Amino acid sequence: MNKLSTMDLSRDESLYKSLLLTLYTIIPLTILPLQFLSAPYGKHFRPGWGPTLPAPLAWFLMESPALWLTSLLFPLGQFRSHPLSLFAFSLFLLHYTNRTIIYPLRLFFSSRSSSPVPLSIALMAFSYNLLNGYVQSRSLSHYAIYPATWSAWVWARVVIGTAIFFWGMKVNITSDQVLVRLKEEAKGGYKIPKGGWFEVVSCPNYMGEMAEWLGWAVLNWSPAALAFFLYTFANLGPRARAHRKWYREKFGEEYPASRKAVVPFLY
Ligand SMILES: NC(=O)c1ccc[n+]([C@@H]2O[C@H](COP(=O)([O-])OP(=O)(O)OC[C@H]3O[C@@H](n4cnc5c(N)ncnc54)[C@H](OP(=O)(O)O)[C@@H]3O)[C@@H](O)[C@H]2O)c1
């Protein structure tokens, strides 16, 4: 290996480490302000945040780095052909194909449009997806430590993590579908969601999303995957609480007080 490539490798590693640290740093920087204000889109949309984008376009653009950036970076890593790396990456792509393409199409073809998304919020989400996409794909295909043998511990991680991931994905997608349908039933307004996990928590779609990345963190057992799960909780936990408060203010006693925000019986 010549001197230049050694330098390039060490620069690449320090970039990876800095961005991983950035991902950990934005966890408290996200959860703290969200205790006092909610991101101004959806139920919490309010004017004064500048120009807006239609929701389907915003979702497509802001989530897209999770598909294109990761697909460009993943093949560059030394573990690009490792079965665990490929498997975990395929779950990541599965989730983001839904979030970037299928979910926006569902919103686009809905007979009632969702609230617009301020460009500033879409840009923040886009930047997050660039950061997270870089960290997750480089971790998966290059910097993660993969076991030399398929021990019982590795099998347990893979089986339990994958089961949690798919359970979360099912709850996330079906809950999103219920909500988008409810928007149509409410002729563009809001109704109290009923049935299934909606009887237990205000935001089963967020609960499912958190479960997905918890399962993914168990499967990967890496600092990068853990950061992703913690960030998802930091972002969606306070938003779920804001949704619950919003339901209680809008619908009063009609909205069951027993429903927690996002973690059944706890939070
Ligand atoms: N990983 C992350 O950090 C992250 C961050 C954000 C979102 N997400 C995921 O992205 C998806 C969408 O997130 P979101 O924040 O937009 O979810 P949301 O607030 O629950 O809204 C989902 C859709 O349902 C509509 N809706 C929600 N509650 C309704 C009700 N009671 N009656 C009628 N219509 C209702 C919304 O319309 P309006 O838009 O008009 O309210 C929107 O079209 C979720 O699956 C979430 O997990 C992930």
Side-chain angles (χ1 to χ4, degrees):
M1 189 176 299
N2 64 34
K3 200 173 168 205
L4 183 66
S5 66
T6 310
M7 268 174 59
D8 284 348
L9 283 177
S10 92
R11 239 186 255 139
D12 183 71
E13 189 169 356
S14 67
L15 175 68
Y16 170 73
K17 285 183 176 163
S18 317
L19 292 181
L20 177 59
L21 185 63
T22 308
L23 194 52
Y24 273 99
T25 309
I26 64 169
I27 294 168
L29 296 180
T30 299
I31 201 165
L32 288 175
L34 290 181
Q35 305 302 313
F36 309 104
L37 73 138
S38 46
Y41 75 94
K43 294 182 182 71
H44 310 283
F45 178 79
R46 45 200 186 271
W49 286 77
T52 59
L53 293 175
L57 181 63
W59 281 104
F60 172 71
L61 292 177
M62 65 197 185
E63 303 293 308
S64 68
L67 289 183
W68 58 260
L69 181 64
T70 57
S71 299
L72 285 173
L73 292 176
F74 184 87
L76 305 180
Q78 59 178 327
F79 297 122
R80 61 184 175 270
S81 306
H82 192 286
L84 260 181
S85 156
L86 279 170
F87 178 63
F89 188 50
S90 63
L91 298 190
F92 185 93
L93 290 181
L94 191 64
H95 171 89
Y96 278 105
T97 300
N98 174 59
R99 180 66 62 238
T100 311
I101 298 169
I102 300 171
Y103 179 66
L105 281 174
R106 177 70 184 91
L107 294 182
F108 182 75
F109 287 111
S110 168
S111 62
R112 303 288 165 172
S113 34
S114 296
S115 313
V117 180
L119 187 59
S120 51
I121 296 294
L123 282 174
M124 278 187 233
F126 182 81
S127 311
Y128 166 74
N129 279 305
L130 282 179
L131 171 68
N132 192 49
Y134 173 88
V135 170
Q136 301 309 326
S137 54
R138 290 302 283 154
S139 169
L140 274 181
S141 82
H142 200 75
Y143 290 111
I145 298 166
Y146 287 101
T149 54
W150 283 77
S151 62
W153 161 239
V154 176
W155 275 111
R157 260 174 43 198
V158 172
V159 171
I160 295 170
T162 305
I164 300 173
F165 178 90
F166 277 112
W167 176 80
M169 191 170 193
K170 179 171 173 271
V171 174
N172 175 257
I173 292 177
T174 53
S175 308
D176 275 343
Q177 281 168 351
V178 168
L179 290 171
V180 175
R181 226 176 286 135
L182 209 56
K183 184 112 213 150
E184 293 171 335
E185 277 173 34
K187 303 195 180 348
Y190 293 99
K191 284 171 87 171
I192 299 178
K194 295 202 166 88
W197 285 104
F198 283 103
E199 299 296 335
V200 187
V201 291
S202 298
C203 304
N205 52 344
Y206 295 172
M207 177 181 79
E209 176 109 21
M210 288 177 188
E212 279 179 71
W213 301 121
L214 171 65
W216 207 68
V218 170
L219 162 66
N220 287 308
W221 212 254
S222 68
L226 177 64
F228 187 12
F229 165 64
L230 294 176
Y231 179 83
T232 304
F233 190 88
N235 190 23
L236 294 182
R239 188 162 180 85
R241 283 175 78 105
H243 274 15
R244 183 183 183 279
K245 185 163 174 274
W246 179 94
Y247 277 121
R248 292 282 292 165
E249 283 167 5
K250 185 169 174 67
F251 296 106
E253 291 305 307
E254 216 189 315
Y255 190 81
S258 58
R259 292 185 190 180
K260 293 289 181 188
V262 69
V263 181
F265 315 112
L266 288 177
Y267 175 84

